[in-house]
Amino acid sequence: MVAVTYVRDIVASRAFYELLGFREHSSGKADTSAWLALHRDGHYVLLASTRPPLDIPQLPLLFYFWFDDLDAVVGVLGVARVEVTHTGHPPHALGGEVKVLDPDGNTVLLGQRERSAWQPPAADDEASPRFSLLKEAAALVEARGGTTVMCQIGDVHGEPCGKRAEVKLADAAGDTVWACLAHADEILVTVRGSFIASQDERGIAWFLSRRRG
Ligand SMILES: [Zn+2]
């Protein structure tokens, strides 16, 4: 599997991924497009760019990369003056987790699965801000003016939730719902195939209307 991401500036993105240990595997160029395949430990990321650049919304989570020695990578990023936000030691990353932004503004998470012998026990976890995909999505909605919609999920007796909706969810059956963060969390965990919907995607209705037009 090769993960592909469209970038606005391949040179800037290449420099970013090289800080994370990726190295060039192959590359190519045409009149209106370019691509660069990078690899690290058997994993591949393909950077692609077009001219004019595609208008891609910033993603609340683009990639999650694991490292054996997260502190070493954080050191390299620090020297390059990349802003690094520590998000604590969640159960899936006992050696630590940090958040960085790629040159296009997408969130990239870096984690270390197990605590190294030389790392002091994590004592900061209650205080440190935990990364939450839902909170990131809610922040994107908020940055675009927010919403006045109320959460559309009722309790088991049909009573409305009463909280302001913060994210929009969708599923493969085509249903969408605006929900508060607590109910969004419940749906994402409970309903298979549900996902955080983007407000920007024009969707299938737009595609069909263009065909008719
Ligand atoms: Zn709710």
Side-chain angles (χ1 to χ4, degrees), residues 151-153 161-164 179-184:
C151 175
Q152 296 170 319
I153 316 296
C161 160
K163 291 209 186 81
R164 196 166 64 88
C180 69
L181 287 188
H183 277 130

Side-chain angles (χ1 to χ4, degrees), residues 115-130:
R115 190 169 68 85
S116 310
W118 61 84
Q119 285 181 310
D124 61 336
D125 270 31
E126 299 312 315
S128 61
R130 195 59 67 73

